[in-house]
């Protein structure tokens, strides 16, 4: 927070350290996209900059919303997002073999992205309303499983495995932090492990192929395993300091597919090396740490659970993408937020940060009154 008699109080009360850190990550992402485009102001970089600035303004505007207002819109937001997910199944636009978008004329909307923060807020609000003595009883468990399971199923059948995993992980995080018994999480995990062959058989062909390649990357180096193989080559060839800005060969010679979207970290690591990769990860870690600090300092159960869940959403974005490009997890189409080209991840992360800033401002207002 900046204190100055010159700067208006609403602006001075903003968490500028967080804003500068997020802007630095996004700015670095634009440099990477500029390089991925061959050193030109490709529409990738221009569009990404416009999207980021717009949602940064949205996040700053959201920071003035009170916690009471957030609570009041939580269930309506969940309901509206669920209706949109049903609408995707009935009227959704089909693109690249998936039905994930609603075409509204002036904008193409992906409702599943809204469900990531929506499920966090909904479960946080639900467990705030559950008395502490009831938290481990079945009546406090089955409604949450239903609230999480319905949207996860609707997203899975689009099909969008990456987003489905993200929504489930965000919801499970809130449920775990709410204090649910451990068997609620270990039971389904054990069941899925036992039923793995059945689950594998129910997957779409491209999803099974991703798992096959993950378990044995060399099985199809020129086909389904090509992405991972070239990603590892790009990251490894960067060494400690990288080849230098605009000097990456894997992306510039089109050896690395999706070098500006899902595999943008590989594009970055080739040119900026281990040092650039570590600094980028540390920057994300500082943003996530700030969010967890908001959770720790919250005076309400809703604030604690919501802030932790929203921070976890950003964490899962980053960790899943990094494991994916390094061959430590199957390729599930999760981008690196604020760095990968694409407005969906930028929108989701900035909405999460806007809500976190609102909760953090509420804490400072309460402490000032106290």
């Amino acid at each position: 927070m900046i204190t100055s008699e010159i700067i208006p109080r609403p602006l001075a009360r903003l968490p500028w350290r967080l804003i500068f850190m997020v802007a630095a990550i996004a700015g670095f992402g634009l440099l990477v996209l500029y390089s991925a485009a061959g050193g030109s102001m490709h529409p990738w970089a221009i569009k990404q900059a416009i999207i980021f600035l717009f949602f940064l303004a949205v996040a700053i505007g959201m920071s003035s919303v009170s916690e009471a207002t957030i609570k009041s819109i939580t269930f309506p937001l969940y309901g509206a997002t669920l209706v949109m997910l049903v609408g995707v199944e009935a009227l959704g636009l089909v693109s690249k073999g998936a039905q994930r978008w609603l075409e509204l004329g002036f904008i193409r909307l992906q409702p599943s992205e809204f469900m990531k923060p929506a499920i966090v807020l909904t479960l946080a609000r639900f467990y705030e309303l559950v008395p502490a003595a009831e938290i481990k009883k079945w009546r406090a468990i089955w409604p949450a499983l239903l609230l999480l399971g319905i949207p996860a199923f609707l997203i899975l059948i689009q099909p969008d495995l990456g987003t489905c995993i993200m929504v489930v992980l965000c919801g499970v995080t809130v449920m775990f932090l709410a204090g649910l018994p451990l068997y609620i999480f270990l039971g389904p995990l054990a069941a899925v492990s036992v039923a793995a062959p059945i689950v594998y058989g129910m997957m779409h062909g491209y999803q099974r192929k991703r798992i096959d390649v993950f378990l044995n990357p060399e099985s199809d180096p020129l086909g389904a395993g090509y992405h991972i193989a070239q990603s590892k080559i790009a990251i490894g060839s960067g060494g400690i300091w990288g080849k230098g800005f605009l000097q990456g060969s894997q992306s510039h010679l089109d050896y690395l597919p999706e070098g500006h979207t899902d595999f943008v970290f590989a594009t970055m690591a080739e040119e900026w090396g281990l040092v650039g990769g570590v600094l980028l990860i540390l920057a994300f870690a500082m943003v996530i740490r700030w969010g967890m600090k908001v959770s720790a300092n919250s005076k309400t159960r809703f604030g604690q659970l919501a802030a932790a869940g929203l921070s976890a959403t950003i964490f899962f974005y980053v960790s899943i993408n990094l494991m994916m490009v390094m061959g430590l997890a199957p390729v599930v189409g999760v981008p690196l937020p604020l760095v990968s080209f694409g407005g969906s991840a930028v929108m989701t992360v900035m909405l999460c940060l806007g809500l976190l800033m609102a909760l953090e401002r509420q804490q400072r207002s309460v402490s000032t009154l106290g």
Side-chain angles (χ1 to χ4, degrees), residues 144-291:
L145 293 177
L146 199 61
L147 288 170
L148 177 59
I150 293 175
F153 174 75
L154 290 173
I155 294 170
L156 183 62
I157 63 176
Q158 290 181 354
D160 191 350
L161 181 60
T163 302
C164 178
I165 291 173
M166 285 280 295
V167 169
V168 170
L169 288 174
C170 294
V172 167
T173 298
V174 176
M175 294 170 69
F176 177 78
L177 294 176
L180 266 63
L182 194 58
Y183 73 83
I184 293 297
F185 309 100
L186 296 181
L189 183 61
V192 170
S193 299
V194 172
I198 300 175
V199 175
Y200 178 83
M202 294 173 60
M203 288 182 172
H204 290 264
Y206 78 94
Q207 293 172 339
R208 291 198 297 269
K209 193 68 174 178
R210 287 175 176 178
I211 294 177
D212 293 341
V213 170
F214 166 65
L215 295 175
N216 185 13
E218 288 74 28
S219 63
D220 192 8
L222 297 179
Y226 186 76
H227 287 70
I228 294 298
Q230 296 302 318
S231 177
K232 289 181 177 179
I233 292 172
I235 294 173
S237 65
I240 301 295
W241 300 103
K243 296 179 179 179
F245 184 53
L246 299 177
Q247 301 303 312
S249 57
Q250 292 297 109
S251 57
H252 291 177
L253 297 177
D254 293 330
Y255 286 112
L256 179 65
E258 306 297 333
H260 64 297
T261 53
D262 292 352
F263 288 84
V264 72
F265 184 82
T267 300
M268 181 281 302
E270 184 182 19
E271 297 189 354
W272 298 85
L274 176 65
V275 173
V278 169
L279 290 176
L280 181 60
I281 293 171
L282 287 176
F284 276 116
M286 292 177 67
V287 172
I288 296 167
R289 180 179 177 274
W290 178 86

